[in-house]
Amino acid sequence: MAIYRDAEDLINIGAYKMGANRDIDMAIKYRDIIMHYTGQGTDEISSLDNAIASLTATFSTKK
């Protein structure tokens, strides 16, 4: 997320071209997935086991 944040201005104005930086490419690829995963509401309860299983499933299917 820090890598995305550092490059965000370039990404938003369309100045970043995919393939120019592997780390930024990965940050772009996984940003929405990470934001969705970390978007738990304050009233939602999740055990550690469920959180780990969800994280594992999220990233094992998103290649």
Coordinates of all heavy atoms in Angstrom, one line a residue:
M1 N 0.8 -1.2 0.0 CA 0.0 0.0 0.0 C 0.9 1.3 0.0 O 0.5 2.2 -0.6 CB -0.9 0.0 1.2 CG -2.0 -1.2 1.2 SD -3.0 -1.3 -0.3 CE -3.8 0.2 -0.3
A2 N 2.0 1.2 0.7 CA 2.9 2.3 0.7 C 3.5 2.6 -0.7 O 3.6 3.8 -1.1 CB 4.0 2.1 1.7
I3 N 3.8 1.6 -1.4 CA 4.3 1.7 -2.8 C 3.2 2.4 -3.7 O 3.5 3.3 -4.4 CB 4.7 0.4 -3.4 CG1 6.0 -0.1 -2.6 CG2 5.0 0.5 -4.9 CD1 6.4 -1.6 -2.9
Y4 N 2.0 1.9 -3.5 CA 0.9 2.5 -4.3 C 0.8 4.0 -4.0 O 0.6 4.9 -4.8 CB -0.4 1.8 -4.1 CG -1.5 2.3 -4.9 CD1 -1.8 1.7 -6.2 CD2 -2.3 3.4 -4.6 CE1 -2.8 2.2 -7.0 CE2 -3.3 3.9 -5.4 CZ -3.5 3.3 -6.6 OH -4.5 3.8 -7.4
R5 N 0.8 4.3 -2.7 CA 0.6 5.7 -2.2 C 1.7 6.6 -2.8 O 1.5 7.7 -3.2 CB 0.6 5.7 -0.7 CG 0.2 7.0 -0.1 CD 0.0 7.0 1.4 NE 1.1 6.3 2.1 CZ 0.9 5.2 2.8 NH1 -0.3 4.6 2.8 NH2 1.9 4.6 3.4
D6 N 2.9 6.1 -2.8 CA 4.1 6.8 -3.3 C 3.9 7.1 -4.8 O 4.3 8.2 -5.3 CB 5.4 6.1 -3.1 CG 5.8 6.1 -1.6 OD1 5.3 6.8 -0.8 OD2 6.7 5.3 -1.3
A7 N 3.3 6.2 -5.5 CA 3.1 6.4 -7.0 C 1.7 6.9 -7.4 O 1.4 7.1 -8.6 CB 3.4 5.1 -7.7
E8 N 0.9 7.1 -6.4 CA -0.5 7.4 -6.7 C -0.8 8.6 -7.6 O -1.6 8.6 -8.5 CB -1.3 7.7 -5.3 CG -2.8 7.7 -5.5 CD -3.5 7.6 -4.1 OE1 -2.8 7.8 -3.1 OE2 -4.7 7.3 -4.1
D9 N 0.0 9.7 -7.4 CA -0.2 10.8 -8.3 C 0.0 10.5 -9.8 O -0.7 10.8 -10.6 CB 0.7 12.0 -7.9 CG 0.3 12.7 -6.6 OD1 -0.9 12.5 -6.2 OD2 1.1 13.3 -6.0
L10 N 1.1 9.8 -10.0 CA 1.4 9.3 -11.4 C 0.3 8.4 -11.9 O -0.1 8.5 -13.1 CB 2.8 8.6 -11.4 CG 4.0 9.5 -11.2 CD1 5.2 8.6 -11.1 CD2 4.2 10.5 -12.2
I11 N -0.1 7.5 -11.1 CA -1.2 6.5 -11.5 C -2.5 7.3 -11.8 O -3.1 7.1 -12.9 CB -1.4 5.5 -10.4 CG1 -0.2 4.6 -10.2 CG2 -2.7 4.7 -10.7 CD1 -0.2 3.8 -8.9
N12 N -2.9 8.2 -10.9 CA -4.1 8.9 -11.1 C -4.1 9.8 -12.3 O -5.2 10.0 -13.0 CB -4.5 9.8 -9.9 CG -4.9 8.9 -8.7 OD1 -5.3 7.7 -8.9 ND2 -4.8 9.4 -7.5
I13 N -3.0 10.4 -12.7 CA -3.0 11.3 -13.9 C -2.7 10.5 -15.2 O -2.6 11.1 -16.2 CB -2.1 12.5 -13.7 CG1 -0.6 12.0 -13.6 CG2 -2.5 13.4 -12.6 CD1 0.4 13.2 -13.7
G14 N -2.5 9.2 -15.0 CA -2.2 8.4 -16.2 C -0.8 8.5 -16.7 O -0.5 8.0 -17.8
A15 N 0.1 9.0 -15.9 CA 1.5 9.1 -16.3 C 2.3 7.8 -16.1 O 3.4 7.6 -16.6 CB 2.2 10.3 -15.5
Y16 N 1.8 6.9 -15.2 CA 2.5 5.7 -15.0 C 2.1 4.7 -16.0 O 0.9 4.5 -16.3 CB 2.2 5.1 -13.6 CG 2.9 3.8 -13.4 CD1 4.2 3.7 -13.2 CD2 2.2 2.6 -13.5 CE1 4.9 2.5 -13.1 CE2 2.9 1.4 -13.4 CZ 4.2 1.3 -13.2 OH 4.9 0.2 -13.1
K17 N 3.1 4.0 -16.6 CA 2.9 3.0 -17.6 C 3.2 1.6 -17.0 O 4.3 1.4 -16.5 CB 3.7 3.2 -18.9 CG 3.5 4.6 -19.5 CD 2.1 4.7 -20.1 CE 1.9 6.1 -20.7 NZ 0.6 6.5 -20.7
M18 N 2.2 0.7 -17.1 CA 2.4 -0.7 -16.6 C 3.7 -1.2 -17.2 O 4.0 -1.0 -18.4 CB 1.2 -1.5 -16.9 CG 0.0 -1.2 -16.2 SD 0.1 -1.3 -14.4 CE 0.1 -3.1 -14.2
G19 N 4.4 -1.9 -16.4 CA 5.7 -2.6 -16.8 C 6.9 -1.7 -16.5 O 8.0 -2.2 -16.6
A20 N 6.7 -0.5 -16.1 CA 7.8 0.4 -15.8 C 8.5 0.0 -14.5 O 9.7 0.2 -14.3 CB 7.4 1.9 -15.9
N21 N 7.7 -0.5 -13.6 CA 8.2 -0.8 -12.2 C 7.4 -2.0 -11.7 O 6.2 -1.9 -11.5 CB 8.1 0.4 -11.3 CG 8.7 0.2 -9.9 OD1 8.1 -0.6 -9.2 ND2 9.7 0.9 -9.6
R22 N 8.1 -3.1 -11.4 CA 7.4 -4.3 -11.0 C 6.7 -4.1 -9.7 O 5.6 -4.6 -9.5 CB 8.5 -5.4 -10.9 CG 7.9 -6.7 -10.4 CD 9.0 -7.8 -10.4 NE 8.5 -9.0 -9.8 CZ 8.8 -9.4 -8.5 NH1 9.6 -8.7 -7.8 NH2 8.3 -10.4 -8.0
D23 N 7.3 -3.4 -8.7 CA 6.6 -3.2 -7.4 C 5.4 -2.4 -7.6 O 4.3 -2.7 -7.0 CB 7.6 -2.5 -6.5 CG 8.7 -3.4 -6.1 OD1 8.6 -4.6 -6.1 OD2 9.8 -2.9 -5.7
I24 N 5.4 -1.3 -8.4 CA 4.2 -0.5 -8.6 C 3.1 -1.3 -9.4 O 1.9 -1.3 -9.0 CB 4.5 0.8 -9.4 CG1 5.5 1.7 -8.5 CG2 3.3 1.6 -9.7 CD1 6.0 2.9 -9.2
D25 N 3.5 -2.1 -10.3 CA 2.6 -3.0 -11.0 C 1.9 -3.9 -10.0 O 0.6 -4.1 -10.1 CB 3.3 -3.9 -12.1 CG 3.9 -3.1 -13.2 OD1 3.5 -1.9 -13.4 OD2 4.6 -3.7 -14.0
M26 N 2.6 -4.5 -9.1 CA 2.0 -5.4 -8.1 C 1.1 -4.6 -7.2 O 0.0 -5.1 -6.8 CB 3.0 -6.2 -7.3 CG 3.7 -7.2 -8.2 SD 4.8 -8.3 -7.2 CE 3.6 -9.1 -6.2
A27 N 1.5 -3.4 -6.8 CA 0.7 -2.6 -5.9 C -0.7 -2.2 -6.6 O -1.7 -2.3 -6.0 CB 1.4 -1.3 -5.5
I28 N -0.6 -1.9 -7.9 CA -1.8 -1.6 -8.6 C -2.7 -2.9 -8.7 O -3.9 -2.8 -8.5 CB -1.5 -1.1 -10.0 CG1 -0.8 0.3 -9.9 CG2 -2.7 -1.1 -10.9 CD1 -0.2 0.8 -11.2
K29 N -2.1 -4.0 -9.0 CA -2.8 -5.3 -9.2 C -3.6 -5.7 -7.9 O -4.7 -6.1 -7.9 CB -1.9 -6.4 -9.6 CG -2.5 -7.7 -9.7 CD -1.5 -8.8 -10.1 CE -2.1 -10.1 -10.3 NZ -1.2 -11.1 -10.7
Y30 N -2.9 -5.5 -6.7 CA -3.5 -6.0 -5.5 C -4.2 -4.9 -4.7 O -4.8 -5.2 -3.6 CB -2.4 -6.7 -4.7 CG -2.0 -8.0 -5.2 CD1 -0.8 -8.2 -5.8 CD2 -2.9 -9.1 -5.2 CE1 -0.4 -9.4 -6.4 CE2 -2.5 -10.3 -5.8 CZ -1.3 -10.4 -6.4 OH -0.9 -11.6 -6.9
R31 N -4.2 -3.7 -5.0 CA -4.7 -2.6 -4.2 C -6.2 -2.8 -3.9 O -6.6 -2.8 -2.7 CB -4.6 -1.3 -4.9 CG -5.2 -0.1 -4.0 CD -5.1 1.2 -4.7 NE -5.6 2.3 -3.9 CZ -6.9 2.6 -3.9 NH1 -7.8 2.0 -4.6 NH2 -7.3 3.6 -3.1
D32 N -7.0 -3.1 -4.9 CA -8.5 -3.3 -4.7 C -8.7 -4.5 -3.8 O -9.7 -4.5 -3.0 CB -9.2 -3.4 -6.0 CG -9.3 -2.0 -6.7 OD1 -9.1 -1.0 -6.1 OD2 -9.6 -2.0 -7.9
I33 N -8.0 -5.5 -4.0 CA -8.1 -6.8 -3.2 C -7.8 -6.5 -1.8 O -8.6 -6.9 -0.9 CB -7.2 -7.9 -3.8 CG1 -7.7 -8.2 -5.2 CG2 -7.2 -9.1 -2.9 CD1 -6.6 -9.1 -5.9
I34 N -6.7 -5.8 -1.5 CA -6.3 -5.4 -0.1 C -7.4 -4.5 0.5 O -7.7 -4.7 1.7 CB -4.9 -4.8 -0.1 CG1 -3.9 -5.9 -0.5 CG2 -4.6 -4.2 1.3 CD1 -2.5 -5.3 -0.8
M35 N -7.8 -3.5 -0.2 CA -8.8 -2.6 0.3 C -10.1 -3.3 0.7 O -10.7 -3.0 1.7 CB -9.1 -1.5 -0.7 CG -7.9 -0.6 -1.0 SD -7.2 0.2 0.5 CE -8.5 1.4 0.8
H36 N -10.5 -4.2 -0.2 CA -11.7 -5.0 0.1 C -11.5 -5.9 1.4 O -12.4 -5.9 2.3 CB -12.1 -5.9 -1.1 CG -13.3 -6.7 -0.8 ND1 -14.6 -6.2 -0.7 CD2 -13.4 -8.1 -0.6 CE1 -15.4 -7.2 -0.4 NE2 -14.7 -8.3 -0.4
Y37 N -10.4 -6.5 1.5 CA -10.1 -7.4 2.6 C -10.0 -6.6 3.9 O -10.5 -7.1 4.9 CB -8.8 -8.1 2.4 CG -8.4 -9.0 3.6 CD1 -9.0 -10.2 3.8 CD2 -7.5 -8.6 4.5 CE1 -8.7 -11.0 4.9 CE2 -7.1 -9.4 5.6 CZ -7.8 -10.6 5.8 OH -7.5 -11.3 6.9
T38 N -9.5 -5.4 3.9 CA -9.3 -4.6 5.1 C -10.5 -3.8 5.4 O -10.5 -3.0 6.4 CB -8.0 -3.8 5.0 OG1 -8.1 -2.9 3.9 CG2 -6.8 -4.6 4.9
G39 N -11.6 -3.9 4.6 CA -12.7 -3.1 4.8 C -13.8 -3.6 5.8 O -14.9 -3.3 5.6
Q40 N -13.3 -4.3 6.8 CA -14.3 -4.8 7.8 C -14.9 -3.7 8.6 O -14.2 -2.8 9.0 CB -13.5 -5.7 8.8 CG -14.4 -6.3 9.8 CD -13.6 -7.3 10.7 OE1 -12.5 -7.7 10.4 NE2 -14.1 -7.6 11.9
G41 N -16.2 -3.8 8.7 CA -16.9 -2.7 9.4 C -16.7 -2.9 10.9 O -16.3 -3.9 11.4
T42 N -17.0 -1.8 11.6 CA -16.7 -1.8 13.1 C -17.7 -2.8 13.8 O -17.4 -3.2 14.9 CB -16.8 -0.4 13.7 OG1 -18.1 0.1 13.4 CG2 -15.8 0.5 13.1
D43 N -18.8 -3.1 13.2 CA -19.8 -4.0 13.8 C -19.6 -5.4 13.4 O -20.4 -6.3 13.8 CB -21.2 -3.5 13.6 CG -21.5 -3.4 12.1 OD1 -20.6 -3.3 11.3 OD2 -22.7 -3.4 11.8
E44 N -18.6 -5.7 12.5 CA -18.4 -7.1 12.0 C -17.4 -7.8 12.9 O -16.4 -7.2 13.2 CB -17.9 -7.0 10.6 CG -18.9 -6.5 9.6 CD -18.3 -6.4 8.2 OE1 -17.9 -7.5 7.7 OE2 -18.2 -5.3 7.6
I45 N -17.7 -9.0 13.2 CA -16.9 -9.8 14.0 C -16.2 -10.9 13.2 O -16.9 -11.6 12.4 CB -17.6 -10.5 15.2 CG1 -18.2 -9.3 16.1 CG2 -16.8 -11.4 16.0 CD1 -19.2 -9.9 17.1
S46 N -14.9 -11.1 13.3 CA -14.2 -12.2 12.6 C -13.2 -12.7 13.5 O -12.4 -12.0 14.1 CB -13.6 -11.6 11.4 OG -12.9 -12.6 10.7
S47 N -13.1 -14.0 13.6 CA -12.1 -14.7 14.5 C -10.8 -14.6 13.7 O -10.7 -14.4 12.5 CB -12.5 -16.1 14.8 OG -12.4 -16.9 13.6
L48 N -9.7 -14.9 14.4 CA -8.4 -14.9 13.8 C -8.4 -16.0 12.7 O -7.8 -15.8 11.6 CB -7.3 -15.1 14.8 CG -5.9 -15.2 14.3 CD1 -5.5 -13.9 13.5 CD2 -4.9 -15.4 15.4
D49 N -8.9 -17.2 13.1 CA -8.9 -18.3 12.1 C -9.7 -17.9 10.8 O -9.2 -18.2 9.7 CB -9.5 -19.5 12.7 CG -8.6 -20.2 13.8 OD1 -7.4 -19.9 13.8 OD2 -9.2 -20.9 14.7
N50 N -10.8 -17.3 11.0 CA -11.6 -16.8 9.8 C -10.8 -15.8 9.0 O -10.8 -15.8 7.8 CB -12.9 -16.3 10.2 CG -13.9 -17.4 10.6 OD1 -13.7 -18.5 10.3 ND2 -15.0 -17.0 11.3
A51 N -10.2 -14.9 9.7 CA -9.4 -13.8 9.0 C -8.3 -14.4 8.2 O -8.0 -14.0 7.0 CB -8.9 -12.8 10.0
I52 N -7.6 -15.4 8.8 CA -6.4 -16.0 8.1 C -6.9 -16.8 6.9 O -6.4 -16.8 5.8 CB -5.6 -16.9 9.1 CG1 -4.9 -16.0 10.1 CG2 -4.6 -17.8 8.3 CD1 -4.3 -16.8 11.2
A53 N -8.0 -17.5 7.1 CA -8.6 -18.3 6.0 C -9.1 -17.4 4.8 O -8.8 -17.7 3.7 CB -9.8 -19.2 6.5
S54 N -9.7 -16.3 5.2 CA -10.1 -15.4 4.2 C -9.0 -14.8 3.4 O -9.0 -14.7 2.2 CB -11.0 -14.3 4.8 OG -11.4 -13.3 3.9
L55 N -7.9 -14.4 4.1 CA -6.7 -13.8 3.5 C -6.1 -14.8 2.6 O -5.7 -14.5 1.5 CB -5.7 -13.3 4.6 CG -4.5 -12.6 4.1 CD1 -4.8 -11.4 3.3 CD2 -3.6 -12.3 5.3
T56 N -5.9 -16.1 3.1 CA -5.3 -17.1 2.3 C -6.1 -17.4 1.0 O -5.6 -17.5 -0.1 CB -5.2 -18.4 3.1 OG1 -4.4 -18.2 4.2 CG2 -4.6 -19.5 2.3
A57 N -7.4 -17.5 1.1 CA -8.3 -17.7 0.0 C -8.2 -16.5 -1.0 O -8.2 -16.7 -2.2 CB -9.7 -17.9 0.4
T58 N -8.2 -15.3 -0.5 CA -8.2 -14.1 -1.3 C -6.9 -14.1 -2.2 O -7.0 -13.9 -3.4 CB -8.2 -12.9 -0.5 OG1 -9.5 -12.8 0.2 CG2 -8.1 -11.6 -1.3
F59 N -5.8 -14.4 -1.6 CA -4.6 -14.3 -2.4 C -4.2 -15.5 -3.1 O -3.3 -15.5 -4.0 CB -3.4 -13.8 -1.5 CG -3.5 -12.3 -1.3 CD1 -4.1 -11.8 -0.1 CD2 -3.1 -11.4 -2.2 CE1 -4.3 -10.5 0.1 CE2 -3.3 -10.0 -2.0 CZ -3.9 -9.6 -0.9
S60 N -4.8 -16.7 -2.8 CA -4.4 -17.9 -3.5 C -5.2 -18.0 -4.8 O -4.8 -18.7 -5.8 CB -4.7 -19.1 -2.7 OG -6.1 -19.3 -2.4
T61 N -6.3 -17.2 -5.0 CA -7.1 -17.2 -6.2 C -6.8 -16.0 -7.1 O -7.3 -15.9 -8.2 CB -8.6 -17.3 -5.9 OG1 -9.0 -16.1 -5.1 CG2 -8.9 -18.5 -5.1
K62 N -6.1 -15.0 -6.6 CA -5.9 -13.8 -7.3 C -4.4 -13.7 -7.8 O -3.6 -13.1 -7.2 CB -6.1 -12.5 -6.5 CG -7.5 -12.5 -5.8 CD -8.6 -12.3 -6.8 CE -9.9 -12.2 -6.1 NZ -11.0 -12.3 -6.9
K63 N -4.1 -14.3 -8.9 CA -2.7 -14.3 -9.4 C -2.6 -13.6 -10.7 O -3.4 -13.4 -11.4 CB -2.2 -15.8 -9.6 CG -2.1 -16.4 -8.2 CD -1.5 -17.8 -8.4 CE -1.4 -18.4 -7.0 NZ -0.9 -19.7 -6.9

